[in-house]
Amino acid sequence: MNRRTFIKGAIALTATAYISPTIVFGAENFKWWQKKPVYQIYPKSFLDTMGKGTGDLRGITQKLDYIKSLGVSAIWLTPIYVSPMVDNGYDIADYTAIDPRFGNMEDFDNLIAEAKARDIKIVMDLVFNHTSDKHPWFLESKSSRDNPKADWYIWRDEKTNWRGIFGGSAWQWCEERQQYYLHTFATQQPDLNWENPDVRRALYDAANFWLDKGVGGFRIDAIVYIKKPKIFADGTPDAPDGSCAVHNMTANTDGILDFLHELKREVFDGHDIFTVGEANSVKPEDLPLWVGERGVFDMLFEFSHVNVMFNNGDEVWHRSHPIKLSEFKKALSDSQAATKNSWYPIYFENHDKPRSVNNFFPHGSDKILAAKALAIILFTLRGTPFIYQGEELGFTNTQFDSIDDYDDISSHGAYDLARADGLSDKEAMRFVQKFSRDNARTPMQWDSSKNAGFTTGKAWLPVHDDFKTCNVEVEEKNPNSVLNFYRKLSALRNSSDVLISGRYEELYPKNEELYIFTRSLGGKKFMTVVNFTTHKVNLPDKILNGAKKILGNYADAKNYLRATEAAIYEF
Ligand code: GLC
């Protein structure tokens, strides 16, 4: 199919296929994935049933009742495909087979069936910007300049000054071909050439394979990088001074939406699924082109609120600055405004980000109060809440002393870059400890036994040392635990038309201590108030007039907010 035909097709389809949620009164007309939260699992760290130190699919199946207790509609699994695991599965060597470390296809089919019996769908991660360098496609592509897959990847005779997202050059020399290949991420993750229709076809076939298995949708990885027009159109451009990141040169470039409309038409359309794209650097004002009536995905993980400590999409950890509350709130409010006619995935954590309690609350905040405060925001903004494993228990960052103790490939790149920029080991480690993705990847804590019940073997990453007090077993028994708070919030949100679909409005956006917003629908109104400081803060005059507190991280109600206090009021 030529390009013009698929664009025309896409326009025809998008005009009829999507009914804007905001024009529907009440939540009963919403889709299943809008009515309940989604739970994200990092399988390697969830539950090991075989004593090998890494989690597996059977472990997930075993814990489905636990997951169901959070009131979710779906589980998003980060990649479980065959992979050398250089980037823990985001380097795929076979798109349609399960990595033996996670189990086999029977385990997967069983997981889908058992989840379905509990009214939960399984959502897969599509990693379509790149493959592993061990993928047969790449092995063939690199073998010569004239094999059938010779242009399935991005090969050039010269390289640019682009720095890869995990550090080092974004180009790798290949002896066999006597050429460089582009890798946006690790050297072992060569970027696919989306300009080649055979590449696109092969990727769509892989996605359709999982749809045939009955999956409930897709999270689409690193999708903003698939179009690299500048390399082809302008020769070999170097990045401007001071910013030599591949991200700044290739993210979200013109023409990308043509590819994505084709993906939508060839894979997503006609299925009762949801899709959520990972899209660092799509600006809130551009969201309507990506989601909703004119868009291609149901939701988009844009990074504006989680990257508010970085100056642009190029996340250099040691160039981060302290978060200003008003900027964080603005990012959320802008995204809420930009998706008021479509839908938003609400998230504060995932497998790439530090734990939210450390990330968004000042040092010295009570961790349990902070976890509950963020949960209140997570469940009262408009959109689908995404809960990342452990977040519902109030997990916090881990801390290893030496860079050698970190598994996360991006931590090593970030450390090297910081050292190259003149930071001492100690200074560089401070940023690694703060931002490492391993913070989010320590094993799930099930009970107070050895390895927190995660494995009977040697855990691949050390269990957090708070596991005796912060684990599922202990929190189940405590009515005031973070876990039980999540359950209450989920039940409240899932049964409230106002919280599912009501209009969002932020109050006092310039206030640097409090986050206050309302949700309203048909004369009913909720208000969320959160104190982001470690001291008492007065609420604006009369704001609570006529309001009744329905849930908060302190039991009683005052007309001011105590340290890290958060509450939901109803009018
Ligand atoms: C996404 C994933 C991340 C991975 C990267 C490369 O950002 O979330 O974990 O390392 O893409 O695939």
Side-chain angles (χ1 to χ4, degrees):
M1 179 191 318
N2 71 31
R3 203 174 172 102
R4 185 162 299 156
T5 332
F6 78 62
I7 297 172
K8 253 169 65 189
I11 292 167
L13 257 166
T14 47
T16 52
Y18 199 92
I19 299 173
S20 168
T22 44
I23 58 169
V24 186
F25 189 77
E28 67 281 0
N29 294 314
F30 278 71
K31 307 248 171 65
W32 58 267
W33 46 267
Q34 295 174 308
K35 290 190 203 163
K36 290 180 179 181
V38 173
Y39 190 74
Q40 184 196 345
I41 291 185
Y42 197 67
K44 189 174 183 182
S45 298
F46 196 63
L47 179 62
D48 172 18
T49 60
M50 296 184 250
K52 59 198 166 344
T54 55
D56 46 55
L57 292 177
R58 287 189 200 173
I60 299 171
T61 308
Q62 259 183 38
K63 294 295 180 186
L64 284 171
D65 287 334
Y66 168 73
I67 298 164
K68 188 171 170 63
S69 78
L70 289 160
V72 305
S73 69
I75 296 169
W76 151 31
L77 299 179
T78 60
I80 51 170
Y81 320 96
V82 169
S83 163
M85 302 285 168
V86 170
D87 188 19
N88 283 332
Y90 282 93
D91 46 323
I92 297 174
D94 185 342
Y95 281 107
T96 54
I98 305 287
D99 192 281
R101 281 165 275 214
F102 294 122
N104 55 34
M105 199 54 89
E106 204 182 320
D107 296 330
F108 181 78
D109 292 338
N110 191 39
L111 172 61
I112 292 246
E114 289 292 327
K116 189 173 177 201
R118 291 164 179 83
D119 205 16
I120 295 174
K121 315 222 188 202
I122 301 295
V123 168
M124 301 294 272
D125 212 314
L126 294 183
V127 187
F128 280 180
N129 175 66
H130 46 267
T131 67
S132 160
D133 63 345
K134 300 291 180 297
H135 196 296
W137 300 343
F138 186 72
L139 297 180
E140 189 175 340
S141 188
K142 77 170 191 177
S143 66
S144 67
R145 293 190 190 195
D146 57 5
N147 68 76
K149 295 200 169 49
D151 72 341
W152 276 44
Y153 294 83
I154 295 166
W155 295 99
R156 290 189 63 83
D157 295 333
E158 312 152 63
K159 61 176 181 171
T160 61
N161 68 351
W162 301 355
R163 172 170 44 75
I165 288 179
F166 292 162
S169 172
W171 297 96
Q172 177 65 26
W173 178 250
C174 172
E175 276 301 318
E176 276 158 284
R177 265 182 75 136
Q178 293 287 301
Q179 272 186 314
Y180 293 97
Y181 68 84
L182 180 70
H183 59 91
T184 297
F185 293 90
T187 314
Q188 300 88 339
Q189 292 169 300
D191 282 40
L192 285 158
N193 177 15
W194 271 69
E195 303 294 331
N196 182 330
D198 295 341
V199 169
R200 307 205 300 272
R201 183 75 267 152
L203 294 173
Y204 304 156
D205 288 349
N208 283 321
F209 171 90
W210 296 102
L211 282 178
D212 291 345
K213 290 220 155 260
V215 302
F218 299 109
R219 177 261 189 186
I220 303 94
D221 184 71
I223 198 66
V224 288
Y225 301 111
I226 60 173
K227 177 90 185 171
K228 282 111 178 166
K230 292 189 173 109
I231 308 175
F232 299 102
D234 313 321
T236 313
D238 271 351
D241 283 353
S243 111
C244 51
V246 67
H247 172 90
N248 294 332
M249 303 305 290
T250 65
N252 191 10
T253 53
D254 286 350
I256 188 170
L257 286 160
D258 296 347
F259 285 153
L260 294 178
H261 276 290
E262 186 188 53
L263 167 67
K264 176 176 184 288
R265 203 170 57 252
E266 295 291 323
V267 181
F268 308 154
D269 280 348
H271 296 275
D272 183 20
I273 59 170
F274 78 76
T275 57
V276 53
E278 187 205 27
N280 182 3
S281 86
V282 170
K283 296 192 187 73
E285 60 268 27
D286 289 336
L287 277 175
L289 294 174
W290 290 74
V291 293
E293 271 179 69
R294 284 188 295 147
V296 282
F297 299 117
D298 293 310
M299 297 176 267
L300 207 70
F301 288 130
E302 41 91 12
F303 288 28
S304 57
H305 65 299
V306 289
N307 274 3
V308 74
M309 63 291 278
F310 301 110
N311 290 327
N312 52 39
D314 178 18
E315 297 169 37
V316 178
W317 296 352
H318 63 276
R319 291 183 205 141
S320 61
H321 54 76
I323 297 181
K324 230 175 138 188
L325 183 63
S326 56
E327 286 173 6
F328 176 67
K329 296 191 297 182
K330 181 174 185 319
L332 287 168
S333 294
D334 286 353
S335 305
Q336 290 279 293
T339 53
K340 68 177 195 287
N341 293 319
S342 59
W343 205 246
Y344 179 68
I346 315 157
Y347 76 102
F348 295 116
E349 291 192 10
N350 61 34
H351 61 291
D352 293 332
K353 292 288 162 204
R355 290 294 179 177
S356 54
V357 163
N358 301 87
N359 215 8
F360 300 115
F361 272 86
H363 188 69
S365 305
D366 179 280
K367 302 279 189 280
I368 293 179
L369 291 176
K372 291 180 178 175
L374 277 164
I376 284 185
I377 304 173
L378 184 70
F379 283 91
T380 57
L381 286 174
R382 182 177 178 280
T384 297
F386 278 70
I387 307 165
Y388 176 65
Q389 70 182 46
E391 186 178 8
E392 79 279 16
L393 299 171
F395 271 27
T396 52
N397 281 352
T398 191
Q399 188 165 324
F400 307 138
D401 293 333
S402 157
I403 187 62
D404 299 331
D405 298 330
Y406 282 85
D407 170 88
D408 165 29
I409 189 168
S410 72
S411 297
H412 291 266
Y415 175 86
D416 292 344
L417 189 62
R419 293 305 304 271
D421 274 0
L423 274 70
S424 68
D425 168 73
K426 205 165 156 206
E427 288 163 342
M429 282 309 294
R430 196 162 62 80
F431 289 102
V432 169
Q433 287 157 349
K434 189 168 173 171
F435 291 111
S436 174
R437 305 190 300 176
D438 284 350
N439 284 314
R441 298 175 180 185
T442 59
M444 187 66 177
Q445 295 165 195
W446 296 105
D447 56 40
S448 310
S449 69
K450 190 165 174 253
N451 288 324
F454 163 67
T455 180
T456 53
K458 184 174 174 340
W460 74 280
L461 205 60
V463 172
H464 198 293
D465 53 18
D466 69 1
F467 77 94
K468 291 227 155 114
T469 49
C470 177
N471 66 56
V472 173
E473 191 183 54
V474 164
E475 295 202 23
E476 291 268 4
K477 292 186 195 135
N478 174 1
N480 293 321
S481 65
V482 178
L483 174 60
N484 282 316
F485 199 72
Y486 263 75
R487 288 174 173 156
K488 274 184 220 155
L489 273 169
S490 186
L492 173 73
R493 187 246 176 222
N494 296 353
S495 61
S496 161
D497 284 10
V498 187
L499 289 180
I500 294 176
S501 64
R503 194 167 58 85
Y504 167 91
E505 190 186 353
E506 188 189 349
L507 308 178
Y508 305 96
K510 299 225 161 59
N511 189 308
E512 295 293 351
E513 298 180 311
L514 304 178
Y515 185 19
I516 306 178
F517 61 87
T518 58
R519 298 290 310 284
S520 29
L521 182 77
K524 287 196 203 154
K525 187 153 97 177
F526 285 94
M527 183 169 70
T528 294
V529 292
V530 184
N531 177 2
F532 270 83
T533 77
T534 53
H535 54 260
K536 176 188 145 186
V537 178
N538 286 328
L539 278 161
D541 245 12
K542 301 195 179 129
I543 198 166
L544 294 180
N545 281 1
K548 182 174 139 239
K549 177 168 163 175
I550 49 172
L551 196 60
N553 58 359
Y554 284 74
D556 56 343
K558 305 271 187 217
N559 56 2
Y560 53 85
L561 292 180
R562 288 153 282 193
T564 326
E565 181 164 5
I568 306 170
Y569 283 86
E570 191 177 7
F571 290 87

